[in-house]
Amino acid sequence: MIKLTNKIRFVTLGPSGTNHEMITINYLAARNVYEYEIILIEDFFVGLDMIKSDQADFMMQVAVHPDCADVVASAYFLYGIHIADTFISPSKDLGILTQIDIKNPKTLAIQPATQKYTDISRWSEIIHVSSIMNIAAGLLDGKYDSGLTTIEFADAHSDQLRVDVKIGTVDDPWLVLGKQRVSNGSILLCDNSPIVDQFRRFNY
C-alpha cells in the first residue's frame, strides 16, 4: 500500500456513476494507490486546465471518447501534459433501456462514443447526450423513449424501465494524463501482456 502525505488528485468525467469514475477507482486500486481524491468534471479541457494550474495531478480519459484526439494533441502542445499510462478495462454492463409503457419507442438518447455498439436503426430520432449517466437520469425523467446506458438502472427501476437491447461490457482502451513525460523517446510495453502468448502461436 502506498501512503502519501497529500492525496493524489484524479480528474475525470462526471457525473457520479460514470464508467470514468468506476474505472478510475479500479485503476487506482490496481496500482495500490489508496490515498486519492476524484474530481468529476463535464469537459476534459477543464481537466487540462486544472492539471496545469495544480488543481489536479492526473486525468483519466477513455480513448474512444469523441474529444480524445483533440485532448491528447492539446495536452501535449498547449499544456505540456503527457500520456503517463495506458491500459484496457471492461465497461459497466450496457444496454438500451426503454420506458416500460412505450411500445414503439421513437427517440434514443446516446453518448456519441457508444453509437456503434449496436444497431440503432429502429429509432427515428437520435439524441446525443454527454454521459450515459445523464441518459439514465433523462429516462427516469421521461425525456427520452429509450437510451443506451447501464443495465443497473433497469434493475433498480424495473417499474419504469425495461431492457430492449442487452449489449454487455465493452473492453475499452484508457489513458492517464499527467505533467511528467514517461516515454523518454522509447516504447513502453507491459512485458507480461497476454498478447505475448498469442504471438508465440506464430513461432516468433
Side-chain angles (χ1 to χ4, degrees), residues 190-201 204:
C190 175
D191 291 336
N192 62 348
S193 170
I195 200 170
V196 174
D197 291 332
Q198 297 181 35
F199 287 167
R200 289 195 179 103
R201 300 174 191 170
Y204 90 101

Side-chain angles (χ1 to χ4, degrees), residues 56-194:
D57 303 301
F58 298 95
M59 183 167 74
M60 182 74 70
Q61 182 180 31
V62 67
V64 298
H65 191 279
D67 290 340
C68 187
D70 286 342
V71 169
V72 171
S74 298
Y76 187 84
F77 291 104
L78 299 180
Y79 291 87
I81 294 170
H82 309 275
I83 297 174
D85 203 0
T86 62
F87 61 96
I88 301 167
S89 178
S91 69
K92 290 187 173 185
D93 202 14
L94 301 174
I96 293 181
L97 312 187
T98 298
Q99 306 235 10
I100 203 164
D101 58 345
I102 298 178
K103 294 183 178 180
N104 298 302
K106 303 297 184 185
T107 59
L108 173 66
I110 201 163
Q111 207 282 344
T114 68
Q115 191 154 326
K116 302 296 184 181
Y117 284 5
T118 190
D119 181 8
I120 59 174
S121 60
R122 61 178 278 202
W123 286 269
S124 58
E125 183 182 356
I126 306 302
I127 302 168
H128 288 164
V129 179
S130 62
S131 165
I132 61 173
M133 304 311 290
N134 290 336
I135 290 172
L139 282 170
L140 294 174
D141 288 342
K143 292 175 64 176
Y144 323 114
D145 295 344
S146 305
L148 197 160
T149 184
T150 61
I151 295 287
E152 62 191 1
F153 280 97
D155 297 334
H157 302 278
S158 58
D159 59 329
Q160 293 179 257
L161 303 173
R162 68 174 187 266
V163 180
D164 270 357
V165 179
K166 184 171 174 56
I167 297 170
T169 63
V170 179
D171 291 336
D172 289 317
W174 290 82
L175 309 178
V176 178
L177 292 94
K179 283 188 174 181
Q180 186 172 341
R181 188 175 185 180
V182 299
S183 71
N184 296 319
S186 60
I187 189 169
L188 295 179
L189 295 173
C190 175
D191 291 336
N192 62 348
S193 170

